[in-house]
Amino acid sequence: MRIDQIKVIRKNLKLQKPYAIAGRVIDDVENICLTIQLENGIIGYGAANPAPEVVGESPIEAEDVLNKWVLPRLKGRDIRGFLGLIREFQQLIPNNPGALAALDIALHDAYGQWAKIPVVDIYGKHFDELPTSVTIGIMNVENTLKEAINFYNDKFTVFKIKTGDNPVSDVLRIKALRENFGDRVTLRVDANQGYSSEDLSYFLNETTHQNIELIEQPFRIGLESDLLVYPETIRRTFCADESLKSTKSIFPWLIEKPFGIFNIKLMKCGGILNAMDIGRIAELAGISLFWGCNDESCISITAALHAAFANKNTKYIDLDGSFDLGEDFVNGGFYVKEGKMGIYKDRFGLGFINDEFKLP
């Protein structure tokens, strides 16, 4: 079955409400959408929102790479060889994980629809649903509690708290949340490389009894070995995020293990196939998986869910990246029920419905 048409567009997607992370405020996101149409009319959808400060690629650059390097080489190829096509383009555009992710996702979706199976079943499903964390940005204690209460009222019970600007304020927020909710909620922390050694030690000492499930990327890239001074029981809760990009980037963390958890984002690693490679290596090394995202279309969020559910060492998901979008390219793909995310068992590919497609 041949690939007949390929289209790519870039669009700025507004957030319903801005949020703060260490060092900046986010109020809109730029995404690209790639569609692959087969000769029988099936349309596969891919999307990407690479973060330039993390992977060195912007959505504009991803769009340019797709138009110049991918589209001319993809038309007329057979979708039955989609895995080989992805490997081919991994070699051709190795430094463009956003472009590669959009292509990888669209090819998976098109193949799944053609083969009449969900994408997760290509690799084997280990989960039907998992609770996702929802993100609370950097704000004062009062607003943190207001945000958390709103999420809790919407049946979410896993909160990821953005920290890293001020460890004293961070501790106050964590303690206020635990005092307000008790053990009814799970607390995760994302420092976004914002802590020094002194900051992290202070934060850990002050929150010893707050039952924090994990801490994402406490230190800046390049300082990962400094985490080895902490006991192994604590390091198991440290999660590599910005330090983990491509498959090759994980190898330094497999022996000394400054991190007990790997955060996999399709926008960092270049799509589902590379994510599955990382997941398998992590499984062999006894490292848990935490699936994250940027502010993304539900297209790539759904793809991350399929990948997460296909890895048996998946332990956590943080895939709320499309929840706050004021607009999107498509609808569907996944559902959220009482704080848990799941994928539709009776839909093929990634589960989008053609008449929901909203590209001009």
Side-chain angles (χ1 to χ4, degrees):
M1 180 60 63
R2 302 292 173 182
I3 295 171
D4 186 51
Q5 297 182 42
I6 311 107
K7 295 179 182 178
V8 58
I9 71 161
R10 175 173 46 88
K11 186 175 182 180
N12 192 47
L13 302 178
K14 286 289 184 182
L15 296 174
Q16 296 181 45
K17 55 183 179 180
Y19 66 89
I21 63 173
R24 61 194 178 108
V25 175
I26 309 295
D27 59 6
D28 58 36
V29 290
E30 198 170 28
N31 277 252
I32 58 172
C33 180
L34 174 71
T35 62
I36 293 175
Q37 183 169 328
L38 306 184
E39 56 187 345
N40 66 351
I42 284 175
I43 298 175
Y45 306 125
N49 170 28
E53 67 274 15
V54 177
V55 297
E57 177 192 23
S58 69
I60 294 176
E61 292 167 327
E63 178 189 35
D64 186 59
V65 166
L66 287 169
N67 280 320
K68 289 184 177 179
W69 294 96
V70 176
L71 271 62
R73 293 170 171 82
L74 194 59
K75 188 173 182 179
R77 306 293 289 274
D78 195 328
I79 194 63
R80 291 174 294 182
F82 83 104
L83 290 176
L85 290 175
I86 295 171
R87 293 297 189 198
E88 177 183 327
F89 284 103
Q90 285 174 351
Q91 297 297 315
L92 184 64
I93 52 171
N95 299 317
N96 297 93
L100 188 59
L103 172 65
D104 168 289
I105 294 167
L107 286 169
H108 273 89
D109 187 28
Y111 176 81
Q113 292 181 65
W114 174 80
K116 292 183 169 47
I117 57 172
V119 167
V120 68
D121 288 346
I122 296 171
Y123 300 100
K125 185 170 67 173
H126 295 279
F127 303 92
D128 291 316
E129 294 179 331
L130 284 173
T132 185
S133 49
V134 285
T135 303
I136 299 176
I138 295 175
M139 56 188 74
N140 61 32
V141 171
E142 180 183 2
N143 289 333
T144 295
L145 288 175
K146 286 181 180 178
E147 188 101 332
I149 290 168
N150 288 335
F151 281 135
Y152 189 79
N153 289 339
D154 288 334
K155 308 298 184 184
F156 292 101
T157 59
V158 185
F159 302 152
K160 187 174 84 167
I161 317 304
K162 292 286 187 177
T163 66
D165 272 0
N166 184 323
V168 176
S169 298
D170 296 340
V171 168
L172 292 175
R173 295 167 65 218
I174 294 297
K175 288 184 175 180
L177 286 165
R178 187 57 75 198
E179 181 180 355
N180 188 85
F181 291 98
D183 293 330
R184 293 174 294 162
V185 301
T186 298
L187 299 181
R188 301 170 180 170
V189 166
D190 185 359
N192 281 115
Q193 306 184 74
Y195 285 151
S196 65
S197 295
E198 294 78 11
D199 292 339
L200 180 59
S201 294
Y202 171 82
F203 181 85
L204 290 171
N205 288 334
E206 291 294 317
T207 59
T208 300
H209 303 295
Q210 303 305 314
N211 194 19
I212 294 175
E213 186 175 48
L214 60 84
I215 301 177
E216 280 190 78
Q217 199 69 35
F219 293 165
R220 295 193 308 274
I221 293 173
L223 299 179
E224 293 88 354
S225 295
D226 292 353
L227 295 172
L228 295 172
V229 301
Y230 296 96
E232 182 183 357
T233 53
I234 293 179
R235 296 203 312 271
R236 287 176 188 160
T237 69
F238 292 160
C239 177
D241 185 356
E242 287 87 350
S243 294
L244 192 157
K245 297 173 186 175
S246 66
T247 307
K248 291 180 180 178
S249 73
I250 72 174
F251 288 102
W253 322 133
L254 296 176
I255 300 175
E256 293 184 321
K257 293 187 179 179
F259 304 103
I261 307 163
F262 284 170
N263 179 303
I264 300 180
K265 291 187 174 83
L266 302 191
M267 298 305 106
K268 290 188 302 181
C269 70
I272 295 171
L273 189 55
N274 272 339
M276 296 302 296
D277 290 343
I278 294 172
R280 178 56 177 156
I281 296 169
E283 179 188 343
L284 294 173
I287 293 173
S288 300
L289 299 182
F290 181 24
W291 296 80
C293 59
N294 301 332
D295 292 306
E296 301 173 24
S297 165
C298 66
I299 297 171
S300 48
I301 296 295
T302 303
L305 269 177
H306 280 254
F309 290 176
N311 279 271
K312 66 180 180 181
N313 54 323
T314 291
K315 194 169 182 180
Y316 322 93
I317 63 171
D318 176 45
L319 295 174
D320 62 340
S322 65
F323 291 2
D324 287 334
L325 290 182
E327 56 183 336
D328 205 337
F329 300 111
V330 302
N331 297 313
F334 64 84
Y335 63 85
V336 182
K337 183 178 180 181
E338 296 186 347
K340 294 182 178 180
M341 298 181 72
I343 51 181
Y344 298 103
K345 299 177 182 179
D346 58 347
R347 296 187 187 179
F348 303 140
L350 293 174
F352 304 116
I353 299 172
N354 284 0
D355 60 10
E356 293 178 341
F357 192 53
K358 297 184 291 190
L359 282 180

